[in-house]
Amino acid sequence: MTLPAPKLPHYRRLYEMLRKQIIDGVFTEDDLLPSENELCAIHGLTRPTVRHALDALVNEGFIGKHQGKGSIVQKLPKGIGILSIAGTTSALGGKNLRSELLVKPYVKAWDDPFMFKLSETELNSGCIHMERIRYYNDKPIFYDINFIPNINVPRFTSRSFENNSLFDVLRNAYQVEIKGGEQKIRAIEASATISQHLAVKSGHPVLHLERKFDTNKPGFFIYSSIYCNTEEQAVYGIF
Amino acid sequence: MTLPAPKLPHYRRLYEMLRKQIIDGVFTEDDLLPSENELCAIHGLTRPTVRHALDALVNEGFIGKHQGKGSIVQKLPKGIGILSIAGTTSALGGKNLRSELLVKPYVKAWDDPFMFKLSETELNSGCIHMERIRYYNDKPIFYDINFIPNINVPRFTSRSFENNSLFDVLRNAYQVEIKGGEQKIRAIEASATISQHLAVKSGHPVLHLERKFDTNKPGFFIYSSIYCNTEEQAVYGIF
DNA sequence: ACATTAAACTTGTATATACAAGTAATTATG
DNA sequence: CATAATTACTTGTATATACAAGTTTAATGT
């Protein structure tokens, strides 16, 4: 995984700029973006190049194009793969949501057996293991165990993750983006350990998800095992 | 929801043709598609038009493009939103999987309250309600309740669904395609009704998913409530 | 003041052309 | 026969141009 090229293609620069403007709130839902012709004039680019950038924004769910009318900003796409609490709008950041690092990231060999089949490269690199508890209204609702292949993620173990999205860190510091993934879901009876972490009675039903995230880096996946207490709130996810 | 236009744009016709060839097995995983120049010659189109079709195939996960090498067919994208059993490769069709209609599709008013907020149009149209049980090795594992808005789906209630994917029927008969969606997941104790349908003891943990599927038709969503027995096999899904 | 028509805007589709950058195949050389 | 160089292929990026089709705005007529 190399550092990004210092020179991005024109269409990509425009795409990143517009994307950032939407995320930063410069354009918000239902706003019209500058027209294709305006963007050509502003950036000294041609329509096919501008359209290429806009197509990418459409594909990622940031805007919708309407012939004759313009490019309209949509509600910020909720991250595919991010779990939250039904009824809240973000995984973290709401006043009643907070996250606590239970086990700081450290490098270890993969658990054997592991929940998903691993490639040779992954097996040889070991993984970074970390555990977090997420609280809603001071009640533990998620017990989250992450396994990140120790491939090209220098100084990962020294980063701070409390109240930070793991995915944001990966995107901003390592240019790793989540593209989707697969998951195995079970309803299980809470074991002694799980009931301790999630503050439920032993034997109480809890949700268990084993997830494998695809990223924009070929061959680089992120793994996660999550236990959830859904007694009061359902777990919410986009797929 | 209108019928598709009799005349498709060139790029779209090429996209649909290549997509069908991949699905039908004319091209299989790891095959090289004809090059862009070859497709231009074969179809009397220009490279930007051909590339537009190929870009759509990339976006949907059918192919990957490799500079200098060619366009390579990928494993058929597993339907987003389709649930299956961990370890099997399709929702239905495997020898050990079969589906049984418990309640034939019929038109009714929406349950009130309903698991997701409904639009005015949806409320006024009523929904088509149907219930199925899915078996794995003759054991009931899914109890699936679907709610399809009664909007532009003529003669839906007279179709046969046993051993047919609801999504395939929607795509082939009504040009409705699933684009993703959202879900609320809970681990619950099986009620008397659920334990009867899924052949588990009352009070045993079962999975409950409430799902809202986005489609290619603006404003048209499909809803589903699924109870799953995950005692022996996890539920598997792509997101 | 309102309705109708025309003009001016928007995105959608498509062709044409050129050069950059990566990979595979062919040819030349030792 | 092996290796290196060259050629020929591939996709990637970008400009230029034109017309179609949908929507909004401005002008005109009553």
Side-chain angles (χ1 to χ4, degrees), chain A residues 33-215:
Chain A
L33 285 185
S35 70
E36 291 174 6
N37 285 339
E38 284 175 320
L39 289 169
C40 291
I42 293 167
H43 298 282
L45 298 172
T46 56
R47 263 192 84 213
T49 304
V50 166
R51 286 177 61 78
H52 197 28
L54 294 175
D55 285 345
L57 289 170
V58 170
N59 287 333
E60 301 219 348
F62 285 98
I63 66 171
K65 281 194 188 179
H66 302 265
Q67 182 175 0
K69 185 176 273 186
S71 302
I72 301 180
V73 179
Q74 293 179 177
K75 194 182 326 186
L76 271 184
K78 291 165 182 163
I80 279 179
I82 292 182
L83 298 173
S84 65
I85 292 299
T88 69
T89 55
S90 67
L92 287 175
K95 284 176 181 173
N96 330 35
L97 284 166
R98 67 178 178 83
S99 182
E100 174 188 295
L101 209 49
L102 198 66
V103 174
K104 284 184 175 182
Y106 68 101
V107 177
K108 58 174 280 193
W110 296 94
D111 293 347
D112 188 8
F114 191 66
M115 52 190 172
F116 289 95
K117 187 178 158 73
L118 296 164
S119 70
E120 203 75 16
T121 307
E122 290 173 310
L123 279 170
N124 291 335
S125 72
C127 74
I128 296 163
H129 175 108
M130 61 186 272
E131 298 180 18
R132 286 177 297 172
I133 304 275
R134 289 212 235 145
Y135 296 85
Y136 181 67
N137 286 338
D138 287 324
K139 286 187 170 183
I141 44 160
F142 290 117
Y143 170 42
D144 189 0
I145 311 169
N146 296 113
F147 309 84
I148 301 116
N150 191 26
I151 303 172
N152 265 334
V153 283
R155 289 177 293 286
F156 189 95
T157 52
S158 56
R159 291 183 178 275
S160 167
F161 287 96
E162 289 186 42
N163 291 333
N164 264 327
S165 164
L166 167 65
F167 293 162
D168 282 346
V169 170
L170 286 162
R171 189 182 206 278
N172 296 330
Y174 302 101
Q175 289 72 54
V176 172
E177 294 171 31
I178 303 302
K179 290 298 179 186
E182 54 192 283
Q183 60 193 356
K184 306 175 199 171
I185 319 175
R186 292 180 179 87
I188 62 171
E189 292 178 340
S191 67
T193 305
I194 301 305
S195 54
Q196 185 190 341
H197 285 319
L198 291 179
V200 294
K201 293 185 205 121
S202 213
H204 195 279
V206 298
L207 207 58
H208 180 203
L209 300 99
E210 296 178 319
R211 310 180 102 206
K212 174 178 179 179
F213 296 94
D214 297 327
T215 71

Side-chain angles (χ1 to χ4, degrees), chain B:
Chain B
M1 184 167 35
T2 59
L3 293 172
K7 282 177 180 173
L8 286 176
H10 292 345
Y11 83 87
R12 183 80 197 181
R13 286 165 89 75
L14 179 58
Y15 157 80
E16 292 286 355
M17 191 204 77
L18 293 171
R19 180 183 185 277
K20 189 176 190 311
Q21 284 180 320
I22 294 169
I23 288 178
D24 291 349
V26 174
F27 300 110
T28 60
E29 187 180 1
D30 294 329
D31 281 353
L32 276 174
L33 286 184
S35 70
E36 291 173 8
N37 285 339
E38 284 175 320
L39 290 170
C40 291
I42 293 167
H43 300 281
L45 299 172
T46 56
R47 263 192 83 212
T49 304
V50 165
R51 286 177 61 78
H52 196 29
L54 294 175
D55 285 347
L57 289 169
V58 170
N59 287 334
E60 300 217 351
F62 286 99
I63 66 172
K65 282 198 189 172
H66 303 265
Q67 183 174 1
K69 186 176 271 187
S71 301
I72 299 179
V73 179
Q74 292 178 179
K75 195 180 329 184
L76 272 183
K78 290 163 182 165
I80 279 179
I82 292 183
L83 298 174
S84 63
I85 293 299
T88 69
T89 55
S90 68
L92 286 175
K95 282 176 183 173
N96 327 37
L97 284 166
R98 66 179 179 85
S99 183
E100 174 190 295
L101 212 48
L102 198 67
V103 174
K104 286 183 173 180
Y106 68 101
V107 177
K108 57 174 280 191
W110 297 94
D111 296 346
D112 187 9
F114 192 65
M115 50 191 174
F116 289 96
K117 187 176 158 74
L118 296 164
S119 71
E120 202 75 14
T121 307
E122 290 173 312
L123 280 169
N124 291 336
S125 72
C127 73
I128 297 163
H129 175 108
M130 62 186 273
E131 299 180 16
R132 286 178 294 172
I133 303 273
R134 288 214 235 143
Y135 296 84
Y136 181 67
N137 286 337
D138 287 323
K139 286 185 169 183
I141 44 162
F142 289 117
Y143 169 42
D144 189 0
I145 311 168
N146 295 113
F147 308 84
I148 300 117
N150 191 26
I151 303 172
N152 266 332
V153 282
R155 288 177 294 285
F156 189 95
T157 52
S158 56
R159 291 183 179 274
S160 167
F161 288 95
E162 290 186 41
N163 291 331
N164 265 326
S165 163
L166 167 63
F167 293 162
D168 282 346
V169 171
L170 285 162
R171 189 182 207 277
N172 296 330
Y174 302 101
Q175 289 72 55
V176 172
E177 294 172 31
I178 303 302
K179 290 296 178 188
E182 54 191 283
Q183 59 192 357
K184 306 176 198 172
I185 319 174
R186 292 180 179 85
I188 62 171
E189 294 179 337
S191 68
T193 306
I194 301 305
S195 55
Q196 184 190 342
H197 286 318
L198 292 179
V200 296
K201 294 183 204 122
S202 212
H204 195 279
V206 299
L207 208 57
H208 181 205
L209 300 99
E210 297 177 319
R211 312 180 100 206
K212 174 179 179 179
F213 296 95
D214 297 328
T215 71
N216 57 330
K217 309 290 184 185
F220 189 78
F221 306 95
I222 293 162
Y223 303 89
S224 168
S225 181
I226 312 171
Y227 297 86
C228 320
N229 175 16
T230 59
E231 189 167 14
E232 293 184 16
Q233 268 89 25
V235 164
Y236 175 88
I238 302 288
F239 57 84

